[in-house]
Amino acid sequence: MALYSAAAAVLEGLERGDGGIKSLVYNSRFPHVRQLYALVSETLRYSPVLEKVLAGAALLQAEKKLPPQLAKVLVYDLLFGKGLKCGGRWKALARRHQTRLEAELARLKVQQKVSCNEDLLAPVQAASPGDSPASQVPRYVRVNTLKTCVDDVIDFFKRQGYSYLGKAAGVEELRALSGKKFLSDLHLPELLVFPPQTDFHNNLLYTSGHIILQDKASCLPAFLLSPAAGSHIIDACAAPGNKTSHLAAILKNKGQIFAFDVDTKRLATMNTMLMRAGVTSFQLAQQDFLTVDPRDPKYSKVTHILLDPSCSGSGMVNRLPREEAAPSAERLQALAGFQRKALSHALCFPALRRLVYSTCSLHQEENEDVVRAVLQERGSAFRLVNAFPSWPCRGLAAFPGAECCLRASPADTLTHGFFVAVLEPCEEGAAIPSSLPVAAEENPQHSKGMAPGAAPKKRKRKKQRVKE
């Protein structure tokens, strides 16, 4: 029962606007984070169907003491999951209504002329396209090049019955994906794109660490940081670790990543994930990044920093539909204050050559305003880089140069809402390029996992081939 209570608590937190799904799951006290995350994600995925089933069966009217979010979790596992795993009164309650719930599910299938549960999702989403563009965000799959290569993963999915359509030419091709068809992303060379709601949590490639389920926007920070192999990097607010594993793949496990997070459980989960992904060049530390001494000799070679601090999570699309209210001004002010401190602190590392600041927030207070305040504080010591000029969505015109920043959104880029800024020092002799990769096709070296400007090198070892 602890699993269902924890899942219901996460759903309630999402509804209140306490944070995004990842932060709420990782901050819960439930010991099996992956199990909880999968249950919450799948319940959210089937949420429109569950609401119709609950309404048709009048379950909440019959059981007035049953919390709505707990009802969703129980009914999801009863009808769509692996069967109820709990005991006690809630299991007895669900079983008592099982026949009526199953009948309502069957009625929905007849009404929508489908034969399997999965087919219920598309009609429900298509019936209410105005609810949110979130339902149009594809499933992005990042190929973990520490364990395999893009061609082998494509071959694996083709053997599983998927049809590969080649490289996307534009966003509209991603928007049109359906069924068991997939594409290579038009910007990021190690990203594959599948139709929305495609579930790979039980796929062999995911469980073995050969692929990482990571939204495209979340891949931008590591991609734009572009550290050369051998670099020393700080991932300042690292858990749950997707960006850290991406950095390690770009480094080819050559170099050093110092990853910080204050939460023990999040770090433990992150360690498991990184080990599964084959990451070896990292050191985890349970430490507030603000307490790290930039002058510590341990960090004297740190040239790149990825700073993705805690934020409102307002750009995350896997939030409940009712969670549309903006966070309070007080909460935004508190978050922005922490973000400014973290960014200012990160710029104190003496060997720093490039820093990426990112959030999954839509609010100017956490994005452009933070960057503007810190740049003003630092005078002429740092500047914004015009990163990814071909990216369609730019920073809000909050100050001169804000257009150098990137924004992402479900409507415009078919991703989560995101913000990215790239900063570099202005000192003479820094020998830093004034701009970053325009796109993968314009930077063929980077598309093979190399840092921009690096000389081509022969591969010293063959990638581990994916087997079914």
Side-chain angles (χ1 to χ4, degrees), residues 63-334:
E63 303 289 345
K64 297 187 182 300
K65 293 185 178 181
L66 178 64
Q69 301 303 343
L70 180 57
K72 274 190 179 181
V73 174
L74 290 171
V75 175
Y76 164 77
D77 230 15
L78 178 69
L79 299 181
F80 305 104
K82 297 179 180 179
L84 291 173
K85 307 173 192 66
C86 67
R89 66 190 184 103
W90 295 123
K91 180 176 182 177
L93 180 151
R95 294 291 188 196
R96 193 159 61 242
H97 296 275
Q98 183 171 358
T99 300
R100 191 165 17 152
L101 291 166
E102 289 175 343
E104 185 59 28
L105 176 61
R107 189 188 68 79
L108 271 181
K109 288 180 180 178
V110 171
Q111 184 183 57
Q112 297 180 15
K113 299 179 181 179
V114 298
S115 58
C116 66
N117 294 335
E118 191 83 11
D119 291 340
L120 283 169
L121 295 174
V124 170
Q125 292 167 353
S128 53
D131 286 352
S132 169
S135 61
Q136 301 302 315
V137 174
R139 164 66 73 187
Y140 292 100
V141 171
R142 178 169 62 81
V143 176
N144 178 15
T145 55
L146 292 176
K147 284 197 162 187
T148 185
C149 64
V150 174
D151 288 344
D152 282 357
V153 172
I154 290 173
D155 288 343
F156 178 91
F157 281 121
K158 287 165 73 173
R159 294 196 300 271
Q160 288 197 325
Y162 288 87
S163 298
Y164 177 57
L165 305 181
K167 182 177 178 178
V171 172
E172 290 309 312
E173 287 191 29
L174 305 184
R175 202 185 304 274
L177 277 174
S178 63
K180 298 192 75 172
K181 299 174 182 177
F182 72 109
L183 290 156
S184 291
D185 184 63
L186 66 158
H187 292 121
L188 306 185
E190 288 150 9
L191 207 61
L192 301 177
V193 192
F194 292 80
Q197 313 297 340
T198 306
D199 185 20
F200 290 122
H201 285 93
N202 294 321
N203 190 283
L204 172 63
L205 292 187
Y206 174 71
T207 57
S208 63
H210 285 74
I211 62 172
I212 309 294
L213 304 182
Q214 185 174 0
D215 183 69
K216 177 177 178 176
S218 177
C219 295
L220 289 174
F223 176 77
L224 293 176
L225 192 63
S226 294
S231 299
H232 284 216
I233 304 171
I234 282 178
D235 191 349
C237 306
N242 283 342
K243 297 180 185 68
T244 314
S245 68
H246 194 183
L247 287 171
I250 293 171
L251 288 177
K252 302 175 185 176
N253 266 339
K254 297 175 182 177
Q256 187 65 55
I257 302 173
F258 301 99
F260 299 95
D261 202 273
V262 295
D263 188 271
T264 307
K265 288 184 178 180
R266 285 166 62 91
L267 279 177
T269 303
M270 179 177 170
N271 184 68
T272 301
M273 182 272 226
L274 293 178
M275 295 299 289
R276 186 174 70 247
V279 179
T280 58
S281 56
F282 69 97
Q283 291 184 26
L284 299 185
Q286 184 191 353
Q287 185 176 357
D288 183 345
F289 174 64
L290 291 175
T291 67
V292 177
D293 183 3
R295 302 290 169 179
D296 188 328
K298 183 177 183 180
Y299 310 117
S300 63
K301 296 181 181 180
V302 169
T303 54
H304 294 71
I305 294 179
L306 195 158
L307 176 62
D308 188 65
S310 299
C311 69
S312 63
S314 54
M316 303 302 289
V317 301
N318 48 6
R319 298 160 76 89
L320 292 179
R322 281 170 285 179
E323 192 197 347
E324 296 294 339
S328 66
E330 292 77 11
R331 183 165 183 250
L332 277 180
Q333 184 178 6

Side-chain angles (χ1 to χ4, degrees), residues 186-188 220 223-224 226 386-392 394 406 435-444 446 452:
L186 66 158
H187 292 121
L188 306 185
L220 289 174
F223 176 77
L224 293 176
S226 294
N386 185 22
F388 226 150
S390 62
W391 188 260
R394 315 308 299 182
L406 276 64
S435 63
L436 294 178
V438 179
E441 63 271 18
E442 300 175 34
N443 188 24
H446 193 281

